[in-house]
Amino acid sequence: MARRKLINDPDEVVIEALRGLVATNPGLKLLDRHKVVYRASRTPNEVALLSGGGSGHEPSHTGFIGDGMLTGAVCGNVFASPSSSQVYAGIKQVDNGAGVLVIVKNYTGDKVHFGKAVEKAKRDGIDVRMVVVGEDCAIDKNKLGRAGRRGLSGVLFVHKIAGAAAKSGASLAEVYRRAQEAAGLIGTVGVALTPCTLPGHQEAAFSIGNDEMELGLGIHGEAGAYRAELLSSRQTAAKCLDLILSEDSARNYLHVQPGERIALMVNDLGGLTGLELNILVQDAIRHLSTLPDGSKNIIVVRVISGRLMTSLEMAGASFTILKLGEHEGILQALDTPVKCVAWPGVVGSHDDIAGQLHSDAVFTTEEPPGEKPTYTVSTPQGQQFLRLMHSICQALSIAVPDLNKYDAASGDGDCGNSIKSGITGILSDGIMRETYDSAWLNADDAASAIAQLSEIIEDGMGGSLGGLICLLLEALSTSLQASDFPTSLEYAMERLVAYTGTSMGDRTLVDALSPAVDAFVAAAKCGNPVHECVHSASVAAKAGMNATVNMATAKAGRSANVGQSLKGVPDPGAFVVHIVWEAVDQVFQGAK
């Protein structure tokens, strides 16, 4: 059953929540338009730490901004990565002159958007490095695919350790080294009793019986890798911790020796009571003290527990183990005082670091974006470009319900809504009227228009698919400055594959896009007219999309972590590629 939410507008939940956060914390400021929260005061020449991702995980990541941890965080829409322009604004804002370490969780959208921003910042002379954290221990290695291990609540240990290093005055290279080291010393497994419901949605992300639980799930509302009968707290803690510590050849992610010291994190995914969480902590410590064979003792020297990284209101928990061993300064880094909202304080030997709430809000005033220029479109090519954009938008708009349905099989069911946001941006910002004689796109210059189109889509469409589309368009625009369209299309396809690591058969948009590009280029090299090249590409895209219907599992993207069979449903990204080429084909066939 869907859970009702006390909100105003589903499309405004993120920015309204961020305004509330900075209103109660005078040490935080907000770049309103970019949804970047950052420290109001910082130490000059101290390495800055920037993290972020989709919202819906509160208090992550904004709750960990403060002296000794993050310098800033970039917030996307709920469960959708922020755009690269948001991330770039965040990098520029937090840079203190000593460089910026960007810490992201291992999700395609985050890697693409944060990676693009990092490259842009480097080009602008900012010293910046990026650490990708993926510590999920729930999924067998032979089922991971190219997507790799998901980033979960263990990233918070990386924030804390890197933050302590930065506070000590360490260089960017040293802070990066310590963050990478910490990322290799953690393992996490999550469990849930209930699903969550996205703001504005009428149905929960998945259904589950009262006598069942999901094991090995991520933090984006998706179902787990396994479904099991409902267990007690003691049994649940044991099951999750044993998955982390498993020495089975299919896992064997984290090697913890008998007598080894660890730090334990028990994280509330959003809907547990304090009673349940503390019982889980007790049971986890007891299980680690005596392993099933009774011969191994794992020494828990620090416990971090609380509502730290959530999946909206999901009733569940995640367990994270951090190996301490003899690694330099890790325990000291965990004990270094911090001043942030969400890192738990303790009663006893550690200083109480709980922050205080304040009523006076300080908002950062930003200059409004300048007025967009209007371009006169005077060439047949420019008018055809706008005609194509309009046809694509119309076709995708009709496909929105189907896209949501196909995406629900492997994720949170919002792919169609994301596409709709991108369409709205194109129609409002790109095409002023159907006469195609003027627009806010410089349609007479294809390279320029495609670059502008990328920016429009980036502003309006979040998530991995939006990032992939923008990455493809950026590469296409760059190549068109010096090459013809077939060559540029090949280059853009090569860049997309290079950045994502996806291949044919991975059950992604590449399964439709790659054969379409190959077909278009082959027809062009044979000297065929453009409409025949487009038709060949459209036929190939449809065949590639249909091929994903018969693929039961994905090897890349968020779908790679879904335990159930996907057979019978096309990949949403491949479906989008098919719709785009079909719309373009219809325009050219009608113009013959």
Side-chain angles (χ1 to χ4, degrees):
M1 184 178 75
R3 180 187 178 276
R4 294 177 295 173
K5 289 180 167 55
L6 196 60
I7 60 175
N8 299 312
D9 182 345
D11 294 332
E12 298 294 322
V13 292
V14 175
I15 190 59
E16 290 185 351
L18 294 180
R19 289 168 182 158
L21 175 70
V22 300
T24 53
N25 294 276
L28 300 180
K29 293 202 173 191
L30 172 66
L31 293 179
D32 200 271
R33 180 161 60 90
H34 292 293
K35 299 175 188 170
V36 175
V37 180
Y38 64 97
R39 286 192 232 164
S41 61
R42 287 158 282 168
T43 304
N45 296 317
E46 179 179 286
V47 172
L49 268 60
L50 183 73
S51 191
S55 297
H57 308 302
E58 290 71 25
S60 291
H61 293 273
T62 54
F64 299 100
I65 300 172
D67 187 32
M69 283 193 78
L70 297 180
T71 315
V74 191
C75 305
N77 291 328
V78 175
F79 295 165
S81 57
S83 69
S84 62
S85 60
Q86 289 177 259
V87 179
Y88 178 67
I91 292 173
K92 289 200 302 180
Q93 183 62 51
V94 303
D95 183 24
N96 292 326
V100 179
L101 179 65
V102 176
I103 303 173
V104 301
K105 300 181 294 299
N106 185 32
Y107 294 99
T108 302
D110 287 351
K111 290 191 294 182
V112 168
H113 288 296
F114 278 82
K116 179 183 173 186
V118 165
E119 293 302 317
K120 186 175 181 180
K122 287 179 180 178
R123 185 183 68 198
D124 290 347
I126 300 175
D127 193 4
V128 56
R129 297 193 185 189
M130 188 167 90
V131 171
V132 178
V133 180
E135 88 284 7
D136 184 11
C137 295
I139 301 173
D140 291 356
K141 291 180 178 179
N142 57 12
K143 295 181 180 179
L144 280 177
R146 293 181 178 84
R149 298 164 68 189
R150 295 172 290 191
L152 304 172
S153 54
V155 72
L156 301 178
F157 273 138
V158 179
H159 291 169
K160 185 67 175 68
I161 292 165
K167 184 176 175 63
S168 72
S171 66
L172 176 59
E174 178 63 12
V175 175
Y176 172 81
R177 184 190 70 79
R178 294 191 193 180
Q180 285 280 41
E181 178 185 59
L185 298 173
I186 52 179
T188 300
V189 167
V191 59
L193 308 180
T194 67
C196 62
T197 306
L198 273 69
H201 283 217
Q202 301 303 311
E203 295 184 4
F206 60 86
S207 60
I208 186 170
N210 290 331
D211 58 349
E212 296 176 315
M213 63 196 312
E214 292 286 332
L215 281 168
L217 71 167
I219 54 173
H220 295 100
E222 70 270 40
Y226 322 94
R227 180 161 290 189
E229 64 177 356
L230 183 63
L231 303 175
S232 68
S233 170
R234 185 178 299 110
Q235 293 168 322
T236 298
K239 184 72 173 177
C240 292
L241 292 167
D242 287 348
L243 284 172
I244 297 173
L245 298 170
S246 173
E247 295 184 359
D248 186 285
S249 59
R251 284 195 177 79
N252 203 22
Y253 289 120
L254 199 68
H255 306 283
V256 181
Q257 300 299 321
E260 190 168 350
R261 302 184 308 157
I262 68 156
L264 170 69
M265 179 182 292
V266 184
N267 168 57
D268 175 8
L269 283 172
L272 289 184
T273 63
L275 289 171
E276 292 168 291
L277 187 66
N278 286 325
I279 293 170
L280 284 172
V281 170
Q282 168 207 258
D283 292 336
I285 293 173
R286 285 181 174 173
H287 184 71
L288 289 168
S289 297
T290 304
L291 292 183
D293 62 5
S295 62
K296 293 182 181 178
N297 289 325
I298 295 176
I299 304 169
V300 181
V301 299
R302 293 290 185 275
V303 179
I304 309 296
S305 71
R307 188 167 290 177
L308 307 171
M309 180 173 288
T310 65
S311 183
L312 291 172
E313 77 282 4
M314 182 177 282
S318 61
F319 299 84
T320 302
I321 289 176
L322 166 65
K323 287 162 53 80
L324 299 175
E326 303 302 322
H327 297 279
E328 179 186 349
I330 291 183
L331 186 58
Q332 181 182 357
L334 292 181
D335 290 343
T336 299
V338 295
K339 296 178 181 178
C340 65
V341 173
W343 188 260
V346 296
V347 177
S349 60
H350 303 300
D351 292 336
D352 185 358
I353 56 170
Q356 295 182 348
L357 299 179
H358 300 271
S359 59
D360 53 327
V362 179
F363 293 96
T364 298
T365 302
E366 292 187 278
E367 293 184 7
E371 187 175 338
K372 297 181 180 72
T374 300
Y375 296 92
T376 299
V377 182
S378 57
T379 66
Q381 294 87 345
Q383 292 172 350
Q384 179 77 326
F385 183 91
L386 296 182
R387 191 174 291 109
L388 290 172
M389 290 303 101
H390 198 263
S391 176
I392 290 170
C393 289
Q394 286 181 318
L396 288 174
S397 181
I398 294 171
V400 164
D402 286 337
L403 279 168
N404 281 336
K405 180 176 67 176
Y406 299 151
D407 189 43
S410 59
D412 46 30
D414 68 344
C415 179
N417 293 341
S418 295
I419 288 289
K420 184 178 179 181
S421 297
I423 293 169
T424 302
I426 294 171
L427 293 178
S428 63
D429 286 0
I431 305 170
M432 294 181 65
R433 53 189 178 188
E434 291 188 34
T435 53
Y436 307 129
D437 57 2
S438 64
W440 287 322
L441 286 176
N442 185 13
D444 287 339
D445 181 345
S448 175
I450 290 172
Q452 290 173 298
L453 192 63
S454 174
E455 293 178 3
I456 292 169
I457 293 173
E458 184 175 358
D459 286 341
M461 182 181 173
S464 302
L465 184 57
L468 294 171
I469 292 171
C470 291
L471 181 60
L472 186 76
L473 293 175
E474 288 281 356
L476 182 60
S477 172
T478 298
S479 183
L480 279 172
Q481 294 175 351
S483 304
D484 60 18
F485 187 78
T487 302
S488 298
L489 200 56
E490 275 190 309
Y491 173 80
M493 187 70 235
E494 290 169 1
R495 289 293 83 205
L496 182 68
V497 170
Y499 276 107
T500 62
T502 53
S503 301
M504 289 289 294
D506 284 352
R507 202 183 192 279
T508 68
L509 61 78
V510 170
D511 289 297
L513 184 59
S514 183
V517 171
D518 289 346
F520 185 96
V521 172
K525 288 181 178 178
C526 291
N528 294 352
V530 175
H531 71 270
E532 291 184 9
C533 298
V534 169
H535 184 68
S536 297
S538 179
V539 170
K542 185 175 183 178
M545 180 272 293
N546 285 332
T548 67
V549 175
N550 296 317
M551 298 178 187
T553 59
K555 298 176 184 177
R558 191 180 297 174
S559 301
N561 297 313
V562 174
Q564 63 195 37
S565 174
L566 299 172
K567 198 169 184 179
V569 177
D571 174 73
F575 186 72
V576 168
V577 172
H578 153 60
I579 293 295
V580 169
W581 277 108
E582 186 177 63
V584 173
D585 188 27
Q586 288 175 354
V587 171
F588 275 98
Q589 295 304 317
K592 285 193 299 181

